[in-house]
Structure formats: structure tokens, C-alpha cells
Amino acid sequence: MLKQITPPTELPVPLGEAKARLRIDHDEDDAILETYIRAATERLDGPNGYLGRAIMPQVWEITLDRFTGPIRLPLPPCREVTSVAYVAADGSTVTLDPAAYIVAGIGSDEGAVIHPATGWPATAAHPEAVTIRFSCGYTTVPEPIRMAILERLSQSYDGDEEDLAPAREEDLTRNHRVWSFG
């Protein structure tokens, strides 16, 4: 199970930049513009977004029934693995020392993978025995993603939502989508 612990605190496109793009020089529409920016971002961001990745810095937790080989973390780019904990066979919760695992792919658009340094410990035989907390998201959002958000914002603000060009959005973001095969 995947659960968001800390949502992003900033928008990928600042309000000032959005207003400049739309040539707006008043503050009356600030609230609706922020709503449109959030909606355009949610369309792309997170496990249910089109891109399947984290756009802005955020913290997530994934739970697994047990350790199984290398563990690929969702929502690239991964910034840091904060903790790896598990429920031991005796029922106690144990947080692994970071030396017990190796994280490959930090900051990579392909995603991070956690490997055991020597082997994974045995866990209790019940669901969600392993909990991994990690932070993810870009420090600088790629321009094609920002442009897709600005395009959607512009069309929403102008009232052209029925004429939104999904092909244009897909074209801008295609290279940043997480693809899954198999």
C-alpha cells in the first residue's frame, strides 16, 4: 500500500509566473488560478497522475508483506530513503540500519531500487510487515512538465476546457512518464 505522508508545500508553477503567462495584472483571480494550477498538477502528479511520478518534493510510505529481492520504489525521482522498518517474527518493530541496504538510483528519472547489503531479514507472517518511508520529487521541475501545467492552466482560465488538447499535453510530458511493462 502506498500512502502520502507529507504533500508538496509549493506549486510547480508559481502564481506570479502563471499570471505573467496569462498577462494578468490584478489579484482578484489569484485563488482560482491556484486552484487551476493544483488541478493541472494533480492530473500529472503522484501514483494516480498521468506521469506516475512525483513532480514536487513530498514524502511517501510504502508497505509490503515481506522483503523480496530488490525493491523498486514508485514515484521517481527518489530523493532519499528515510527509513526501512519491519515487523520481526517476535512481533517487535525493527528499523534497519542504513548500512543493511543499498539504494541505487537516487535522483534518477528511472527510479530508485533498494538492495539488501547481505540479505533481507525474516519478517512476521502478516500483511504490511515492511514499511519504507522515502522522499521524492524534483528540486527543479523539468520544463516540459511546467509547460504542460501552464498550457492546461491557460485553457482552463480562458474557458476552453472542452478544447483541451490531450495530444499536446501528452507530447510535452511523454518523456517523463513512468512506463510499466509486464
Side-chain angles (χ1 to χ4, degrees):
M1 182 163 88
L2 189 59
K3 179 171 93 173
Q4 188 174 51
I5 304 302
T6 308
T9 57
E10 296 178 20
L11 297 171
V13 175
L15 180 61
E17 181 181 346
K19 288 171 73 172
R21 164 74 183 258
L22 297 170
R23 295 182 178 95
I24 298 173
D25 60 0
H26 56 82
D27 298 334
E28 292 86 41
D29 292 342
D30 286 4
I32 192 69
L33 288 173
E34 285 185 347
T35 299
Y36 287 151
I37 295 168
R38 279 189 181 81
T41 301
E42 285 179 20
R43 180 174 164 77
L44 301 174
D45 187 52
N48 298 318
Y50 175 74
L51 297 179
R53 67 176 58 249
I55 295 175
M56 295 298 292
Q58 48 198 280
V59 177
W60 288 80
E61 198 170 80
I62 187 169
T63 54
L64 308 168
D65 293 342
R66 64 188 179 288
F67 289 111
T68 57
I71 301 166
R72 177 168 294 282
L73 294 177
L75 303 173
C78 179
R79 298 163 60 93
E80 174 187 27
V81 173
T82 310
S83 64
V84 177
Y86 68 98
V87 179
D90 66 4
S92 64
T93 300
V94 179
T95 300
L96 287 177
D97 184 304
Y101 55 89
I102 300 158
V103 183
I106 292 289
S108 159
D109 272 349
E110 288 76 40
V113 179
I114 305 173
H115 301 271
T118 56
W120 291 120
T123 63
H126 65 73
E128 301 181 351
V130 176
T131 303
I132 301 168
R133 187 170 286 198
F134 61 100
S135 63
C136 53
Y138 293 104
T139 49
T140 303
V141 179
E143 281 304 312
I145 295 173
R146 291 171 34 78
M147 290 303 301
I149 292 168
L150 284 167
E151 288 270 325
R152 184 159 288 276
L153 166 68
S154 177
Q155 291 172 329
S156 296
Y157 185 75
D158 291 340
D160 294 337
E161 290 184 73
E162 293 173 9
D163 296 328
L164 291 178
R168 171 103 170 112
E169 181 178 70
E170 183 179 326
D171 187 50
L172 284 168
T173 59
R174 173 186 343 252
N175 292 339
H176 297 282
R177 187 169 184 197
V178 175
W179 296 94
S180 176
F181 302 101

